[in-house]
Amino acid sequence: DRNNDPKYKVYDTMYSFLPMAVVGVSAAAADTLNSGSGATTTGDVTLPLSCSLYLAPSSVQDPDAGWGVFAGVDYDTGDVLGQPTIGVPVVDPVIITYDEGTEKERDAFDMIGAYAYGAVATGGDAEAMRVDMYAPGVGTMANFHSTLFNFVPGGVTISPLLDRSSDHGAGGFTTYHDLACRAKRKIRAGEELFGAVPLGAVPRHIDASSKGAYQKVDALATALVGMQNDDGSGMNENTFVNVMASFRSNIVSKRNDAASLEKLLPHDFAEAVRISEVGSARAALDDRRLEWLQKNGKCLDNIREGISTIPQAGRGAFAARSLAAGAVITPVPLMHLLREFFDVTFPAGAPPGTAAGNKKQLLLNYCFGHSQSGWLFCPTTSAVLINHGGEGGSNAELRWGDGTPGSSGEEFDLTEFLERIEHYNSTQLSFDVVATQEIAEGEEILLDYGGEWEAAWKKHANDWNGGDNDGYESGPAMDSRVDKLSIGADAYPHHSLFCLRKPFSDDSIHDVVEKYSSIIDYSEKSQLLLKLYKDNKFRWWWPCVVKEVHNDNDTLYTVEILEKFPKNLNNTRKLVTTMTHFPRHLIRFVDRPYTSDIHLATGFRHPIAIPDRLFPVHWRDDYRTAQKIVTDTWQEPAVHSRANITDAEHETELRGVKCGLYIAPSTIEGAGNGVYTAVDLPREGMAIGPKLPINAVFNQDTETLRQPWANYEWRKQTFNADFEGLMGMTTSVMSAGLGMMCNFHPGLVNADNGKSINQAILDKYTDVGAGAFSDYHSNYFQTSEAVFAGDEIFISYGEAWLEGRTYLSHVPLWNNYNTGDELVAFLLALANDTGVEDASLESLYALIKDDFIEDDRTSTVLSKIGTVSDMEAVAAAGGTAATTSTRRSTEWLEENGYCIDHIYVKNSTIPQAGKGGFVRRPIKRGDVILPVQLLHVRGGRDVFRRRTDLSDVDRTVIDDKQVFYNYMYSHPDSSVLFMPANAGIVLNHGSARGTTAGAEDRRPNAALRWSTTDRKTQYFLGKAPEDLLSEEYASVVVDVVATRDLAVDEEVLIDYGEEWEAAWNEHVRTWVPPPPTGGRGADGIPRFVSSQAVYAMNQQKFDPWHWVWSDDHFTVCEEDVGESKYDTMHLEDL
């Protein structure tokens, strides 16, 4: 139930202001309280020549207190503070309960809850099932305080002004007005105004300390100060500090309200003296004198309410005193709400036909907005009264004012983005309404709402074709016309009846019938009650039903008083009590829910336009930040017209071109060679180049002998080789092909590694070749986006690779390119928005580049840009990174590069050989099949022996040399070993002698020769080995040359030499199956489980009948994979 759930934050001040001892007033007083006679009206408020109310930073010493409202003159008890205001009902603002709402709904709900009254306190609660009354002015802007509250809100007056059957403006403005706040006690000039802390928490600044906490601290301070003797002995500064330290530690810290007490306790003896004199509540406030307010505040009472001079406009704003041109008429702190909040969603249980009403909140008409923004800004001051004067007819304009002071320690300013205020439930922005000409006292103040608003209003007036009032009259009109009341709850189709009860009545059910009588109370408290509430026509009125007429002149009735706060969701009200002889003048008509003018479907709805000149461009919904321009446009991957190409179609295309992949000088300056595609790769996930084996390398002591391969090695986890090697053994992975040949450009990565396959082709218990080559075969890199012919292929080494090399400290990382992109995008957008000249833009760019950019890597990015033309080139290329790489033509690649994709990989035709290299295009005798880049190894052949300091290595089982040793190129009489960096790693042996065991008939069809075109190769051929070994990168190339014509799909074979052949034949001759290492099963039979068997087990890993457990294998699980994902996982992942 809304009215009983503190989450709904109803600002019901019913029980807040006066002692419960006040139980009634005289009948005459009751008449005065509610009939309107004697009520203070706008015309009765006599303003002083100087300002009577100021808006200024709050005196509460809390950064979240924000604005405060201050008295500019002395007020007596019951005086109206400033000017009365209107009330705008906000109907059914949130239908669902607070806890169930979305974050945006809760934010909006909290914002309304912070600035609106519960309508049960001010009037209007019968408008809908749930109603908040938004009444901009003193009550809205004042802060709350548990002990210093000094004013009470009054009630509203209902005056429709227009006839819904004939006036197209009906329903376009509120009928509630004349809501005044009155002083609860005497208030001196300079004093801040505080409302009482509501029953529910309010999500903007309220004094969090309870009344009891203040009383405790006051008593403590008085006691401590009283311990000082007349002669000056007793309590002094030193002893006071000691007492307070012990008191805080031993007593306060153990209380539940420790935080509340802690901030109130005095910190020194002087502060204790002040608290004993004025109380801790006042001592905690900053002193605000009238002189300070006149200098630092803005006047809040320059506007008074009145009936507008503009036809169909309702009420308007009139100057309460003469105003000079340029004067601030009123400050306008703005409540921010998303547009979606203003949609009315009718709740379940609403009367039939309700949904035919207006679908927008009336509050929309009083708020400012921009057509290109989802935010609306609602005034919290009397600026809501200002009507539209049109272009040439207005005498005031909007300007941005001061932001909310000290909000959460940081004042919001216009240079920030609106997202920052989204979760603030207090005003953050503010307008000033400024006079554009001299305005005389009594003159109506008018703004220009903008052409869009004016067009909407004219369309509304032209489209309006009259209204059917169905006999409707407003409640006040019915009160004036109807003397004799009809009997029954449904006697009036548009109205319900409300009856006046004694002050401080409640919904407690009395199962009695009582005779109405007024209680005479001439006490001082009764007079105070009369002063405070004489203009509130709603506070003690309860729904009622006439059951019987008592006298002939129809002035006395029997009435049933119903619940004011129904306890159920369908809004049905229980009987509270029955009263006889109830006087007619204490019964009034109230519109039934959803029937008053504000619900008319024909009612005008449109926000007031914020001019383009005021609304920051970066707040517009159509504004694209530099970051958004970069991410949505520049960095958005290109979409290829053949994005649905299959792998088979791509292979056919590769076989039809001269070459599909080249190695040629990189577009990165100083990076050596790079890899280029010569054909389009239209989609992500396409394999690039041949699928090659990777090799785990068990490293020697790299601290004393750094290997060149350190520039090429990968983390084993990248290729799912986590469990190769023993604990404590340093293991890395060499990925021949793109993994060793491609460059890394942090801003242009267009390929990543595909899934490597760990599958033993041979069985160690039956195959002589098992263990002679890597089981991690068919590894490849694949496109991460569409890549076009002529583009260089860039893979990522990880930015740590660059950061770990001090000599590359100037090389930009992704973030540096992104920073450059955003700067260029920002400057180009600035030029587009402002038309600034190129020279000015270039000067600003130079200033930013030279004086504000500190990062050397970012400076590298910006060093190539100097002019607007350079910036436009960046935009055209798609970013600063894109300008560093050039798309090469096929002719350029043929002239400057070498083809590296004549070979593809599949199972070799050589028994026991694993994978082999096959030609995908016809090759002529003497043509280069593949240029093989070679990476030299330091330390000779012993480098590829395993580490010998691991005591748990069984030398009878583990081979002394690493398997990668088999992939090396070398000469029998040389200690220099070369590691092939590409598909040269898969070329198998064909014997020119025909003496290879098991492959006697396989002859070589290719031979190796040193490259005659690679300059570095020719250079090092004339140098000593030591010169080559000092190099850090692959430096020589050997060509694989066809010794005869090769047909498509023929395997390429080279002669490994007599030494290798002899070693292989000896291995075959002496090979015996290894002993089983998997232990014995329960049946005593040895377990023969090879790597090949483990792969097979993984294909049936959820079927226990296929599991053969042994000591040679174990299970691993991929981290953070739940059972629900098993059926979509790749089998290899486990």
Side-chain angles (χ1 to χ4, degrees), residues 163-230:
D163 185 336
R164 65 169 67 178
S165 66
S166 57
D167 292 312
H168 62 268
F173 56 85
T174 181
T175 60
Y176 297 91
H177 69 111
D178 205 22
L179 190 153
C181 290
R182 293 182 178 272
K184 181 178 178 292
R185 57 170 173 78
K186 289 187 177 182
I187 301 173
R188 65 172 177 80
E191 187 175 346
E192 184 168 359
L193 305 184
F194 292 108
V197 176
L199 297 178
V202 173
R204 64 184 174 103
H205 181 74
I206 88 171
D207 173 65
S209 301
S210 67
K211 183 176 181 180
Y214 284 112
Q215 290 173 339
K216 288 180 175 64
V217 173
D218 292 350
L220 176 66
T222 301
L224 293 176
V225 172
M227 295 174 69
Q228 190 174 35
N229 300 322
D230 292 339

Side-chain angles (χ1 to χ4, degrees), residues 314-551:
R315 286 175 173 75
F318 293 83
R321 56 179 63 86
S322 296
L323 299 165
V328 175
I329 300 172
T330 185
V332 194
L334 297 165
M335 183 175 66
H336 51 275
L337 291 165
L338 289 168
R339 283 181 187 262
E340 58 200 64
F341 169 80
F342 293 84
D343 296 331
V344 175
T345 304
F346 301 102
T354 298
N358 206 301
K359 302 300 191 297
K360 296 290 184 182
Q361 296 281 357
L362 178 62
L363 182 60
L364 181 72
N365 286 1
Y366 294 90
C367 298
F368 298 97
H370 191 279
S371 60
Q372 291 298 325
S373 174
W375 287 94
L376 293 175
F377 305 91
C378 304
T380 55
T381 62
S382 54
V384 292
L385 290 163
I386 302 176
N387 283 315
H388 172 63
E391 187 175 358
S394 60
N395 53 15
E397 67 178 9
L398 295 176
R399 297 179 188 172
W400 285 112
D402 301 323
T404 299
S407 178
S408 293
E410 295 183 18
E411 184 176 316
F412 184 87
D413 68 62
L414 303 181
T415 66
E416 300 182 67
F417 287 88
L418 281 177
E419 286 77 4
R420 188 188 144 194
I421 68 171
E422 185 167 351
H423 302 303
Y424 280 97
N425 297 317
S426 59
T427 62
Q428 299 297 304
L429 299 167
S430 182
F431 282 139
D432 284 339
V433 179
V434 179
T436 56
Q437 62 189 53
E438 185 177 338
I439 300 175
E441 180 181 351
E443 183 179 349
E444 184 166 8
I445 300 166
L446 300 171
L447 284 169
D448 184 355
Y449 283 10
E452 183 181 325
W453 184 94
E454 190 168 288
W457 172 252
K458 289 180 179 177
K459 183 178 188 304
H460 168 77
N462 292 333
D463 293 348
W464 192 81
N465 57 6
D468 182 6
N469 65 5
D470 193 23
Y472 168 84
E473 294 180 75
S474 68
M478 292 287 287
D479 283 331
S480 299
R481 183 178 63 79
V482 179
D483 293 326
K484 180 179 179 179
L485 298 176
S486 300
I487 296 173
D490 299 322
Y492 302 99
H494 300 110
H495 301 88
S496 301
L497 297 176
F498 273 51
C499 297
L500 176 65
R501 299 183 69 193
K502 298 173 185 177
F504 302 105
S505 297
D506 57 33
D507 268 354
S508 300
I509 295 176
H510 306 282
D511 192 16
V512 295
V513 177
E514 53 184 317
K515 183 177 180 179
Y516 174 82
S517 63
S518 60
I519 298 176
I520 307 301
D521 183 355
Y522 297 104
S523 68
E524 181 180 346
K525 291 178 179 177
S526 178
Q527 297 305 308
L528 175 60
L529 180 71
L530 182 62
K531 284 184 178 181
L532 296 181
Y533 295 109
K534 64 181 179 179
D535 59 346
N536 192 320
K537 305 174 182 62
F538 292 90
R539 182 170 295 279
W540 292 295
W541 290 82
W542 254 252
C544 60
V545 176
V546 173
K547 304 299 290 186
E548 184 181 350
V549 182
H550 279 291
N551 55 1

